[in-house]
Amino acid sequence: MAKIVNSWNDFDPLKHCIVGRCDNSCIPPEEPATSEKVPIDSPMRGMWGPRPQENVEKANAQLDDLVKVLEANGVKVDRPTPLQWNAPVITPDFRTDCMMTCMPPRDVLLTIGHEMIEAAMSFRCRYWEYLAYRPLLSKYFDEDQEFLWTQAPRPRLTDRSYKHNYYDEKISLEERLVRTANKDFVTTEEEIMFDAADVMRLGKDLFVQHGLTTNRKAMEWLQRKYPDMRVHALNFPGDPYPIHIDATFVPLRPGLIINNPVRPLPQEQRAIFEANDWEIVPAAKPAHSEPPALCYSSVWLSMNCLVLDHKTVIVEASEVYQQEQMDKLGFNVIPVAIRDWAYAFGGGLHCSTADVYREGICEDYFPKQVPDPTRVRP
Ligand code: DAV
């Protein structure tokens, strides 16, 4: 039988991945988990429902170009099957008026070795998103007898999963930063909640961002699920909206990480990297001062690159500073344009993809163990 699923990190040679699709995508209505993310001065505040068809088509065309580049570089690409996202989600515990998209597969699917986990996401509008990937996961299951197909415990997402009145229109940027530093997020510890894109995989170590979309209970679940791995909780106090680690802390090859310079990893969380000679380099500045229209991510999607192997990286075509930095770090850079249209649907090049197969095994990149305050189980 074929070996379909295998991936332990974000930099070993990529051979097979999933690229999202924008069909039927909606802007979700406000809900306890998302009202926190849309800035008060954003034109997206209060707006919800289907995204313009023209934007869907243009974004899909950009993603199709990404697929062509991946295929030309020897990567097999699968695509999800979009649902009609413009439909309500109704459970015994909540109702919300529409869903979102299947264009950022990275948020939903967490690949750890031979296993793919459908994440326990905290947004009510994303409750059924994993269904778009079911045809693919079912196929991998049929074709690869080692493939482990897992769904994380489904959160109920009742009102107890969120802090009430956490979101206050008058809250200043400074106050947001204080909240991030204090690990005071909209999500509670009522139940396990995480987005796959909050998990940075480095072989035997999982580095998980504690933020608006992922709680401590999720880290505890990951640690119990993988007793031989080491789960770390990272917190980036410079980020007023900590959602997903992949525009903040991005590994490029063994021993090298780029870190968003306005969200530096605090010194006290660096011990394990320093003890094992990992270099943490500030990422280049973004080429843009604003995100594109109807985009809820920051300009730091500039560093949300897709590493094809230890010497090759796809960087967004307009991100000239990030390309220049990659070049200096010794990478061959492949530029692909997805900013103008695809970003708005859910993110950059890393977000737009999910790993199915990378060569390589589960390495221990941190053999020198030192006192490490980030460990979920010290
Ligand atoms: O910087 O807005 C975007 C990550 C999306 N997956 C940011 C994080």
Side-chain angles (χ1 to χ4, degrees), residues 16 39 53 109 133 163 201-202 207-208 234 299 328 370:
H16 187 176
Q53 184 57 24
L109 298 175
Y133 304 95
K163 286 182 196 159
R201 306 162 304 140
L202 284 177
F207 294 89
V208 187
L234 299 187
V299 291
K328 285 192 184 133
V370 290

Side-chain angles (χ1 to χ4, degrees), residues 103-121:
M103 162 34 209
R106 189 69 66 179
D107 299 3
V108 194
L109 298 175
L110 178 59
T111 308
I112 297 185
H114 310 159
E115 184 160 15
M116 286 175 107
I117 302 172
E118 299 165 358
M121 302 172 92

Side-chain angles (χ1 to χ4, degrees), residues 291-344:
L294 303 184
C295 176
Y296 44 75
S297 300
S298 75
V299 291
W300 291 99
L301 289 180
S302 55
M303 59 185 288
N304 186 265
C305 58
L306 183 64
V307 178
L308 297 190
D309 59 48
H310 299 190
K311 289 191 159 64
T312 316
V313 62
I314 305 184
V315 179
E316 210 286 324
S318 66
E319 295 295 348
V320 287
Y321 305 114
Q322 191 55 71
Q323 289 174 27
E324 192 180 278
Q325 181 182 39
M326 294 296 191
D327 183 61
K328 285 192 184 133
L329 290 168
F331 285 87
N332 299 316
V333 178
I334 304 174
V336 173
I338 71 159
R339 176 185 184 269
D340 289 353
W341 302 102
Y343 270 20

Side-chain angles (χ1 to χ4, degrees), residues 13-288:
L14 181 67
K15 296 293 163 194
H16 187 176
C17 71
I18 299 171
V19 171
R21 274 194 202 279
C22 301
D23 312 63
N24 309 333
S25 293
C26 292
I27 295 174
E30 237 181 72
E31 56 168 292
T34 61
S35 58
E36 184 45 30
K37 174 60 182 160
V38 183
I40 183 166
D41 53 355
S42 162
M44 293 174 74
R45 279 302 288 270
M47 184 193 267
W48 67 275
R51 286 177 181 264
Q53 184 57 24
E54 188 197 349
N55 299 26
V56 169
E57 283 164 17
K58 287 180 165 161
N60 271 341
Q62 293 197 312
L63 293 174
D64 290 346
D65 288 344
L66 170 62
V67 171
K68 283 190 203 120
V69 170
L70 286 165
E71 288 174 345
N73 283 275
V75 181
K76 178 176 158 58
V77 178
D78 286 331
R79 311 297 296 274
T81 306
L83 272 65
Q84 176 44 268
W85 303 113
N86 188 22
V89 181
I90 303 171
T91 78
D93 298 302
F94 69 83
R95 176 194 165 103
T96 189
D97 286 320
C98 76
M99 294 178 275
M100 204 167 110
T101 185
C102 57
M103 162 34 209
R106 189 69 66 179
D107 299 3
V108 194
L109 298 175
L110 178 59
T111 308
I112 297 185
H114 310 159
E115 184 160 15
M116 286 175 107
I117 302 172
E118 299 165 358
M121 302 172 92
S122 66
F123 287 17
R124 291 172 172 174
C125 60
R126 305 190 78 173
Y127 196 73
W128 298 120
E129 213 168 293
Y130 67 92
L131 294 177
Y133 304 95
R134 279 288 169 99
L136 293 177
L137 271 60
S138 177
K139 186 165 172 283
Y140 304 158
F141 187 81
D142 289 343
E143 293 175 358
D144 176 356
Q145 64 181 10
E146 281 177 306
F147 171 49
L148 291 175
W149 181 1
T150 300
Q151 184 165 66
R154 295 288 282 157
R156 291 185 67 162
L157 308 181
T158 71
D159 288 346
R160 285 190 299 280
S161 293
Y162 313 98
K163 286 182 196 159
H164 291 283
N165 304 319
Y166 177 89
Y167 185 72
D168 170 351
E169 308 249 318
K170 290 183 234 39
I171 182 175
S172 64
L173 179 65
E174 291 67 36
E175 172 58 18
R176 279 185 194 288
L177 294 173
V178 169
R179 286 184 180 183
T180 302
N182 291 339
K183 300 174 190 146
D184 172 11
F185 302 115
V186 69
T187 37
T188 65
E189 294 294 332
E190 170 76 12
E191 56 184 348
I192 295 161
M193 289 188 283
F194 69 99
D195 277 10
D198 277 317
V199 183
M200 181 181 98
R201 306 162 304 140
L202 284 177
K204 202 170 152 46
D205 291 77
L206 300 176
F207 294 89
V208 187
Q209 170 169 263
H210 188 193
L212 296 165
T213 37
T214 292
N215 64 9
R216 289 287 301 196
K217 207 170 247 188
M219 299 178 204
E220 176 62 26
W221 181 76
L222 285 165
Q223 184 64 81
R224 285 190 206 181
K225 176 158 174 50
Y226 298 110
D228 298 333
M229 296 176 82
R230 296 175 293 236
V231 179
H232 308 254
L234 299 187
N235 172 258
F236 298 90
D239 190 351
Y241 296 101
I243 293 185
H244 305 158
I245 197 166
D246 58 354
T248 298
F249 206 57
V250 174
L252 298 182
R253 61 177 175 239
L256 179 63
I257 292 177
I258 50 172
N259 185 189
N260 187 319
V262 301
R263 308 169 187 168
L265 185 69
Q267 188 55 41
E268 61 274 15
Q269 297 180 50
R270 292 186 179 226
I272 191 68
F273 297 101
E274 287 174 353
N276 290 277
D277 298 321
W278 277 68
E279 212 185 336
I280 299 176
V281 182
K285 65 175 181 188
H288 305 272

